[in-house]
Amino acid sequence: MPDMLSATQWTTAVDLKARKFYYRTQFNSSLRCIDYSKIDFSKVKFQLRDLDLVKEQPVEYIDIK
């Protein structure tokens, strides 16, 4: 697949006891969390969102002197 940038597109982890879903993606390695305990599922409808609005990994340059 020539358009595939890497084999791993995202990484996820779930804390079932705390009802939290953690993820990071190939474009943003910051750990993000969805706290399911704060969602009132009787009021929230199905939602579909892009994992990354910006398809670019930030790079921090280190100046060595």
Side-chain angles (χ1 to χ4, degrees):
M1 296 181 137
D3 294 336
M4 184 184 299
L5 298 176
S6 90
T8 303
Q9 300 295 316
W10 58 81
T11 303
T12 63
V14 179
D15 181 342
L16 295 174
K17 199 169 198 177
R19 300 181 68 198
K20 293 182 179 180
F21 177 82
Y22 298 91
Y23 71 97
R24 65 185 204 170
T25 65
Q26 73 181 41
F27 295 110
N28 184 343
S29 60
S30 297
L31 190 59
R32 291 166 274 175
C33 177
I34 299 171
D35 187 347
Y36 288 111
S37 65
K38 294 184 178 184
I39 300 172
D40 182 351
F41 287 98
S42 67
K43 295 180 180 177
V44 175
K45 295 183 179 184
F46 175 82
Q47 296 181 15
L48 178 64
R49 297 182 182 190
D50 283 336
L51 292 175
D52 295 301
L53 296 177
V54 177
K55 307 288 192 242
E56 179 179 293
Q57 181 68 269
V59 175
E60 179 181 347
Y61 290 95
I62 308 299
D63 186 22
I64 306 294
K65 295 180 181 188

